[in-house]
Every structure is written in C-alpha cells, then in structure tokens.
Amino acid sequence: MRFPAFYSGPMASSPLTFLGTCHHDCPDSCGWVATVEDGAVTKLRGNPAHPFSRGELCPKVNRFVDRVYNPDRLLGPRIRTGPKGSGEFRDASWDEALAMVAEQVHEVIAEHGGEAVMPWQSAGTQGLIQMSSLDQRFFAKLGATRQTGSLCGATVGWGMAVTNGSAMGADPMDIAHSQLVILWGTNTRLTNRHLWPFIEKARERGAQIVVIDPIRTITAEAADDHIQPLPGTDIALMLAMMHVLIRDDLVDHDYVESHTTGYAELEQHVADKTPEWAATICGVDAATIEALARDYATVRPAMLRTLIGPEHYESGAMFFRTMACLPLLTGSWKELGGGVAKSVGAYAEPFVDHSVFRADHLAEGKTRRSLSMNHLGRNLTDATLAPPIHALFVWGGNPVVTVPGAELIRRGLEREDLFCVVSEQFMTDTARYADVVFPATTQLEHADVVESWGSLYVGWNEPAIQPLGEAVPNTELWRRLAKAMGFTEPELFEDDQSLIASATTTLDMEAMKRDGFIRLPVSKESLPFAEGGFGFPDGKARFVAAELKDQGLPTLPTYRPSKEGLASSDNDKLQLLTPKVHRRFINSSYSGLAGHGDREGAPYVELSRADATRRTIEEDDLVRVFNDRGSLELRARITDRLRPGVVAVPFGWWSEHHDSQSTANSLTSDTLTDWGGGVAYSDTLVEISPL
Ligand SMILES: Nc1nc2c(c(=O)[nH]1)N[C@H]1C(S)=C(S)[C@@H](COP(=O)(O)OP(=O)(O)OC[C@H]3O[C@@H](n4cnc5c(=O)[nH]c(N)nc54)[C@H](O)[C@@H]3O)O[C@H]1N2
Ligand SMILES: Nc1nc2c(c(=O)[nH]1)N[C@H]1C(S)=C(S)[C@@H](COP(=O)(O)OP(=O)(O)OC[C@H]3O[C@@H](n4cnc5c(=O)[nH]c(N)nc54)[C@H](O)[C@@H]3O)O[C@H]1N2
Ligand code: SF4
Ligand SMILES: [Mo]
C-alpha cells in the first residue's frame, strides 16, 4: 500500500531544508530546520528566525534524529504471540493486522455495543491533525465511549475560568516587562526553557525573581528568592496574601469596583486568613508571607507565571481560581508584564477551529457514555460497567507509565477478554500489552500545524522525509481502519491537507509555510483584561462563584486539606511528589533511548536528612517506597532540596529501569481534581523503609 503524498504546495526553503515545529507536549513548540541528504535527515537545528525558541532546541530534541532512525523504532504492524505484557510479538502485514482489528471490533460491538470500545489518547504529538482529528469521526461511527478528563492543563483553564469567565492569560513573552516575576509551581528552566531568557531580560531591567515550589528546583536555585510551602497548601498562602492586601489597603479600588463582583464577601472571608494562620498550614513563616504580599502589590508590574504542577491535587482547580483573584485586587492586569501568564491555548481558539473534526452525526443517534482518561485502571477493571470495556485503542500516550493507578491499569490490560490496539513509535510499557501494534510516523515524516501553549506562535511542520518502513501518520491509521471496517462515509477518509485547511481558514497559511511559523493575529501588546472584559455576561470577574455551590464546593476561594495528603496524615507517612526532573526526557518519551535514560542515570527517591535519619537510611541505600497501591525499590538520595515530610521520585522512567514492573505511577492517587477533570497525582502518601 502506498502512502499518499502529504503536501505538494510551494516549497518554503532551499531544496534540502524543511521547516518544521516540535510536536512534543511542551510549552515551547520550537521551530526547527531539518536538513535532508539523499532522502534522509542529516541535521536538525533550531530555526533562528523563531521569535520564541530563537534557534535553540533542547537536550531531548537535539537528538531527535537518533530517535527517528533508532533501530528500536516500530516500522511495521505487530501481532502479539506471548502473554499480555510479555512484549512477544511477530511481524504482520498491514492487511492482516487491519483485518484482525476489524473482525475483533465488529465482534465486540455486535456482542456488547459500541460503548464497549474505548479510545485513550494523549498528547504524544500536539499537532493539530495528528493529535486528534479523524479519530473523532472514527469513534463516533463506532458509537464508542468518549474519553473525558485530562492529564494536563484542563484543570488550570477551568480553575481560572471560574474567576475570570475565560481561560485567557497574559502573553508569557511579556514577562520581559515585569519587575516582579513569581514562578508559582513551575520549573521554568527545565520544563519551559525558552521562556527563561525572557525572564533574564526582565532581571537585566531590575526585576526580582521569586519561585514558589515545595522543591528547591533548578529554577528555584536560579531565583532571587525561593518560598517553599508544603505541597498542596498554596491556597492558604494566597488567602493570606489577600488578607494583607486588603488589611493594608494595597487594593486597586477603581479596578475592583469597575471590573469585579463579590469584593465585600471576599473582604469578610479573608479577614481571619492572617499570615499567622497560613503559616501553620504552609510551613512558610508569617513575615515571608507579609513581605510577598507587599512586594506583589508594590513592585510593579508583577507577573504570576504558572503551568501545571499545582493542578495535580484534589484542590487543583481551586488553586488556579484562587490565584486568579490576586491580580484582580491589585489591578495588575492593567500593566504590560502584569496579570497571570498560564498556558495560552485560549488565544488560538478564535483562529483554529477544532470543531471541524467532529462528525457526531456518524454516531446515528447512538448514546455514547463518557469515561475519564484518568480512571483507565478503574474502568478496565470495573466489571459493573455496563457494558465493560472490551476493546481499547491507545495512541499518542503511554498510560502504563504516565497515568495514576498504574498497577490497576496493568491488571486491566492483562484481561483476556480485552482486545487492545496501540499505535506507537516504540515498544512502550503500554504497547507491550497490545494485541496489535501499529507503527506511527514521527514529526519529520508527516505534515501538521502546531499550536503552542507557551507562546503566541503557531508552527508549520513540513514533512522532511517519506515515512520510514511502513509507519503511517495517525490520520492515515484512522483512514485505513475505517476502510477495513467496511465504512464508506467520505468524512472518515478526508486527507491531511484538507483537514488542516478546514481548521485554519482564518490563518495566513502561506506565511506560515514560508516562515515555519506565524504569530496569532492578536495585537502586539496583548492585555486581555486591562479594561475588564472578563468572560461573563456582565464582563466582570467574580470573587464569589455561585456555580460551585451546586457541586458542593465553597463559593469563595477556600483552602481545604486533601483527603490523602500531609496535612491530614499521621507522621509515618510521607507525601510523594513525582515531578519532571530530567532534561533529556519529555514525560515517558526518551527514557528508553540511548543518550537519554543512560545519561540521566536511574530512578531514585529523594528524601530529607531528617526523614532518612528517622528510618536509619543512608545515602544510596536501597529502600522500599510503598503504599497500598504499589511498591518500588529505589536508591535513596538524601537532599536538602525537600522539606521533611516530602519525598520525590522522578517521573518518566519505564518499568525496565526499575527492579520490578512498577514505576512512579504505581504509587500515585487517581482521585480526580475538584473540577476541571484533572487528577491528584501529588496527593499521594507513601512509607519508606530500608531494605
Ligand atoms: N524536560 C522536560 N520538560 C517538560 C516535560 C518533561 O517531562 N521534561 N513535560 C512537559 C509537560 S507535559 C508539561 S505539562 C510541562 C509542565 O511544566 P511545569 O508545570 O513547570 O512542571 P511540573 O514538573 O509538572 O511542575 C512544576 C513544579 O510544580 C511544583 N509543585 C508541585 N506541587 C506544588 C504545590 O503544591 N505548590 C507549588 N507552588 N508548586 C508545586 C513541582 O515541585 C515542580 O517543580 O512541562 C513540559 N516540559
Ligand atoms: N507521576 C506523574 N505522572 C505524570 C506527570 C507527572 O508530573 N508525574 N505528568 C503528567 C503530564 S503533565 C502529562 S502531559 C502526561 C503525559 O503522558 P503521555 O501523554 O502518556 O506522554 P508520553 O509518556 O510522552 O507518551 C507519549 C507517547 O506518544 C508517542 N507518540 C509521539 N508521537 C506520536 C504520533 O504521532 N503518533 C502516535 N501514535 N504516537 C506518538 C510517543 O512515542 C510516546 O510513547 O503525564 C502525566 N503523568
Ligand atoms: S521538547 Fe520543548 S524545548 Fe525541546 S525542542 Fe520540543 S518544544 Fe522545544
Ligand atoms: Mo503535561
């Protein structure tokens, strides 16, 4: 079967270079230039013209060409021969693999109905059409269960929206204009490295950089101040800041009066949320909280920069709803370099129309239930689900490593009455459980458009080479599966160029293809809420959110200790954080590759000297980290980067890097966030004992 040509428009660059954009789930969405000789990519460099990434890639993608040509790449379909999870497969032709999937899926639907089929997809590629497009139509046609929830990001937006009526934020690049930069629960130098030069620029202009993080990260080490609250307690810290702002009359009353509602209730609500009160919850002394609040109001412009870290708590959305109240009180939105800079997806919404990919009519009126992607383990093992899941499709993700409750996921994937299809570039921990594995192309082999969540630049991705082996883009997989299933609706077979064109009608695609990127057509000085204009009908932001009442949640910003968390636990338990730590990984991608995992070392558990001494643990001892969900054997690293009571295991390692099959997410909590559909990875308690 020949793969159809992707793109035949005008060539942007000289014959041997191709402009592209990194597809990884990373805020930077760097522009790149691929050099091709004799049909093979020989060099991949940052595109120097890209205004955000400015010619640099990163320690992951500097070796992307090795990833693409890696001997372990999956280059043809495979069919399982050994027990589930064993990783024993044989090569198969596309025709055989497609026929097997079609037969099994028809059988599942005939016996149990369409909802017995579950799609599970994550952001392995963030590309417009390769992340999610034709799959929506394919699964509608099957009448399959819908995936809801999000591992990352949605909770931030939904949290902010309760206060602001929209998920809009400041343009992160405007941080260069700030005099006070508060990096609140984001490890910029690791996870968003191309923003750091803009922060350095602010610093050259006299800005003060503060990091608020329970871990002394590499970003905290480069800051002027590091405030280290106990995990999941920031809401109390923010309430105390509001207390100080109001008590000391550091409030912009004009702004509050013109553009907000509920101030009187907030004033009353925070009257007793003193810095002393917060200090007992956060473990940050009251004087530090006082000073932070005063600086926040008086050193201007002050930018709050946040990403994803704090969403992974039971009160994840409440964190962002509460944060959104701070710039309202000080009128910080009026200033270039003020406000809150979060992910900027909301900027692209008017210009990139994802709704064109839907085709709900294909479901022909069948009801389609929704199940959370964060409860994959629960859903696969819940025999009371009606119907139970009997066919699972996974693409663009590695849930056995990245989703909480990993042991439950494994148990679910081991079920003999589950048919599992995975589309992948590598034989991941998840792919090992598949009945059929399909080979996926990389970003150098397919066309796409990449919307960034870290800057206002949208990138073009020109395929630089033909697909390797028999790999296909995700879109082509859905087309082939639709054909194998015997479907004929033209919507299921739309080609890539047409899909891209239909979603981007308001963008200057010619300029994007010529330069490799364009800036979203929004004004240079983007001040979304300088003059109010919040997303509610009256245009005003809300300190009181009446709609939360229906969900049994407090209508005012409120700190509530987590059910599973330090604040409510006995002292033998430690709170486990599982952050991104490695420069050469992105999530669980790369940890299995030479030049990445081997150079990062091996997984470990970090704990404070006090917690180690209490358990007679020495540096490099082998210890057991466990709770009732799972257990890991790890080397201990004694550190002063963490407070007593808090321990950390780096996220991203596969089971082959651990002594058992388990990984960090074997231990983590799958409790959902208060709203927004996220999950509380960090509300996890563990015990540690020497081995
Ligand atoms: N090198 C590398 N870069 C990446 C990734 C990667 O895996 N590796 N992943 C990418 C992805 S998918 C994402 S979403 C982004 C995430 O980017 P970030 O949100 O910056 O990264 P995280 O590590 O998820 O969390 C950031 C910080 O939040 C802190 N944190 C945890 N709990 C709390 C809390 O209660 N309060 C406060 N104040 N801070 C807290 C953690 O200690 C951590 O240092 O990074 C992207 N970039
Ligand atoms: N404990 C803990 N768990 C976490 C986090 C944490 O901080 N701690 N962070 C969470 C966050 S923020 C995120 S975003 C998630 C990420 O979780 P996942 O989205 O599962 O991320 P990856 O592990 O990178 O898996 C992406 C997979 O997609 C594949 N892939 C890439 N491109 C394509 C393609 O074009 N087609 C197909 N078919 N496959 C492709 C890659 O080979 C890779 O195996 O993890 C979450 N899990
Ligand atoms: S992973 Fe992030 S930093 Fe690295 S090249 Fe891709 S977008 Fe840039
Ligand atoms: Mo993420």
Side-chain angles (χ1 to χ4, degrees):
M1 221 180 289
R2 242 190 78 73
F3 185 72
F6 302 97
Y7 170 64
S8 53
M11 223 27 121
S13 37
S14 71
L16 289 178
T17 60
F18 298 85
L19 296 174
T21 303
C22 181
H23 61 296
H24 281 312
D25 189 0
C26 170
D28 294 6
S29 300
C30 299
W32 70 37
V33 185
T35 305
V36 176
E37 290 168 59
D38 297 329
V41 178
T42 51
K43 225 172 21 179
L44 189 70
R45 295 278 184 270
N47 180 355
H50 194 283
F52 186 64
S53 56
R54 304 192 308 168
E56 195 210 45
L57 297 174
C58 70
K60 297 148 274 188
V61 175
N62 286 338
R63 302 179 67 98
F64 189 65
V65 177
D66 293 346
R67 180 177 169 91
V68 172
Y69 292 106
N70 193 289
D72 292 339
R73 259 295 290 281
L74 290 165
L75 295 179
R78 302 228 179 136
I79 290 177
R80 182 171 63 84
T81 52
K84 294 197 175 208
S86 65
E88 290 163 32
F89 289 83
R90 67 174 169 82
D91 292 341
S93 70
W94 267 96
D95 285 344
E96 183 190 7
L98 287 167
M100 177 185 265
V101 174
E103 188 191 323
Q104 293 284 331
V105 172
H106 275 306
E107 220 168 85
V108 164
I109 293 175
E111 208 167 313
H112 307 281
E115 287 176 312
V117 181
M118 169 94 198
W120 194 99
Q121 167 251 323
S122 184
T125 167
Q126 295 197 99
L128 170 70
I129 61 164
Q130 300 306 342
M131 180 159 87
S132 182
S133 58
L134 284 182
D135 52 287
Q136 298 178 36
R137 300 178 185 172
F138 179 73
F139 288 105
K141 175 70 189 166
L142 297 186
T145 291
R146 291 176 198 272
Q147 155 181 313
T148 57
S150 148
L151 300 177
C152 170
T155 305
V156 181
W158 287 109
M160 292 265 172
V162 162
T163 301
N164 291 343
S166 90
M168 276 301 274
D171 176 353
M173 280 166 71
D174 286 340
I175 212 163
H177 300 287
S178 308
Q179 280 296 300
L180 178 63
V181 173
I182 302 182
L183 303 172
W184 204 320
T186 180
N187 190 0
T188 312
R189 287 178 66 214
L190 181 85
T191 59
N192 184 195
R193 59 185 283 127
H194 296 92
L195 184 66
W196 189 253
F198 296 89
I199 295 173
E200 287 288 0
K201 201 175 206 179
R203 185 180 246 171
E204 280 162 26
R205 295 169 172 168
Q208 180 191 340
I209 320 295
V210 180
V211 166
I212 305 180
D213 197 306
I215 304 179
R216 199 177 76 230
T217 59
I218 55 169
T219 307
E221 270 162 8
D224 301 305
D225 291 304
H226 175 209
I227 296 174
Q228 194 168 19
L230 289 165
T233 64
D234 307 65
I235 295 169
L237 180 56
M238 295 181 210
L239 290 169
M241 286 174 74
M242 292 188 223
H243 170 94
V244 175
L245 296 177
I246 294 172
R247 184 198 65 196
D248 295 354
D249 198 21
L250 296 166
V251 171
D252 180 339
H253 292 286
D254 277 352
Y255 190 87
V256 165
E257 205 159 299
S258 312
H259 305 305
T260 73
T261 58
Y263 178 73
E265 287 94 325
L266 182 79
E267 184 175 15
Q268 204 183 0
H269 177 65
V270 300
D272 60 352
K273 308 294 182 300
T274 60
E276 290 72 21
W277 166 80
T280 61
I281 295 168
C282 311
V284 174
D285 63 61
T288 303
I289 301 174
E290 293 262 354
L292 177 67
R294 259 195 301 278
D295 285 351
Y296 180 63
T298 57
V299 183
R300 307 179 71 127
M303 178 81 88
L304 302 177
R305 169 60 173 169
T306 187
L307 275 180
I308 307 299
E311 92 163 34
H312 291 146
Y313 290 88
E314 291 167 22
S315 297
M318 185 63 89
F319 174 102
F320 295 98
R321 154 161 178 54
T322 308
M323 173 178 272
C325 295
L326 289 168
L328 299 177
L329 290 177
T330 60
S332 174
W333 285 113
K334 294 192 298 198
E335 295 154 3
L336 190 67
V340 179
K342 54 178 282 292
S343 41
V344 293
Y347 278 89
E349 269 166 31
F351 306 106
V352 184
D353 183 4
H354 292 256
S355 74
V356 297
F357 302 139
R358 294 180 61 158
D360 293 340
H361 64 277
L362 293 174
E364 292 157 352
K366 293 183 209 103
T367 52
R368 298 178 63 197
R369 70 178 168 196
S370 295
L371 294 174
S372 169
M373 71 186 300
N374 290 314
H375 279 171
L376 182 61
R378 293 192 200 199
N379 292 332
L380 289 177
T381 53
D382 183 353
T384 67
L385 267 188
I389 297 165
H390 284 287
L392 175 72
F393 286 79
V394 177
W395 72 104
N398 185 11
V400 170
V401 178
T402 61
V403 175
E407 295 306 304
L408 208 54
I409 298 176
R410 281 180 193 282
R411 241 177 287 151
L413 291 174
E414 277 164 7
R415 272 175 44 204
E416 283 305 327
D417 61 348
L418 177 77
F419 182 71
C420 178
V421 179
V422 173
S423 163
E424 251 302 345
Q425 297 162 346
F426 288 90
M427 190 53 78
T428 59
D429 280 1
T430 307
R432 293 169 76 89
Y433 285 90
D435 294 283
V436 177
V437 180
F438 288 113
T441 43
T442 68
Q443 191 76 340
L444 289 174
E445 299 153 71
H446 54 233
D448 218 333
V449 164
V450 182
E451 294 162 76
S452 171
W453 44 283
S455 81
L456 302 190
Y457 293 88
V458 186
W460 170 244
N461 187 68
E462 179 79 24
I465 49 172
Q466 287 291 313
L468 297 193
E470 296 181 354
V472 302
N474 296 341
T475 43
E476 177 65 6
L477 174 64
W478 306 118
R479 288 187 286 260
R480 290 186 185 188
L481 281 168
K483 180 158 180 260
M485 293 288 294
F487 301 150
T488 52
E489 289 85 344
E491 299 95 310
L492 296 166
F493 300 94
E494 190 171 349
D495 69 36
D496 288 2
Q497 292 169 62
S498 164
L499 286 166
I500 291 174
S502 65
T504 55
T505 50
T506 60
L507 289 179
D508 184 348
M509 292 303 291
E510 210 177 295
M512 199 196 292
K513 289 173 182 175
R514 182 192 64 224
D515 299 335
F517 58 86
I518 52 165
R519 190 176 193 275
L520 284 168
V522 292
S523 80
K524 235 352 174 215
E525 292 197 353
S526 143
L527 294 174
F529 305 128
E531 284 158 34
F534 291 94
F536 294 112
D538 63 358
K540 295 187 177 191
R542 294 178 177 170
F543 292 118
V544 180
E547 77 262 35
L548 292 181
K549 200 170 178 183
D550 305 338
Q551 302 170 49
L553 293 163
T555 57
L556 281 150
T558 301
Y559 167 73
R560 300 208 292 188
S562 300
K563 289 192 282 303
E564 178 174 344
L566 201 59
S568 59
S569 78
D570 67 68
N571 284 333
D572 275 343
K573 304 241 171 95
L574 298 158
Q575 184 157 4
L576 174 72
L577 300 180
T578 51
K580 292 124 182 139
V581 171
H582 301 300
R583 295 188 320 137
R584 297 177 183 84
F585 295 3
I586 183 135
N587 301 318
S588 86
S589 300
Y590 293 100
S591 47
L593 293 188
H596 295 266
D598 52 349
R599 291 173 74 182
E600 296 287 358
Y604 53 84
V605 59
E606 274 188 300
L607 74 174
S608 69
R609 167 68 59 196
D611 287 327
T613 305
R614 238 182 118 219
R615 293 166 179 78
T616 61
I617 293 167
E618 301 285 348
E619 177 74 12
D620 212 35
D621 276 358
L622 201 55
V623 300
R624 197 160 83 88
V625 183
F626 63 99
N627 58 20
D628 55 13
R629 298 187 192 96
S631 168
L632 290 179
E633 285 178 22
L634 294 163
R635 295 276 165 196
R637 278 199 195 172
I638 298 172
T639 182
D640 59 3
R641 299 190 328 129
L642 293 169
R643 305 174 58 123
V646 183
V647 299
V649 172
F651 159 65
W653 294 95
W654 291 8
S655 60
E656 68 189 59
H657 306 113
H658 288 271
D659 293 329
S660 61
Q661 279 207 316
S662 304
T663 64
N665 277 321
S666 301
L667 301 170
T668 50
S669 163
D670 71 352
T671 302
L672 299 184
T673 54
D674 39 6
W675 74 92
V679 69
Y681 293 96
S682 301
D683 277 324
T684 294
L685 295 182
V686 293
E687 292 180 64
I688 302 189
S689 57
L691 274 173

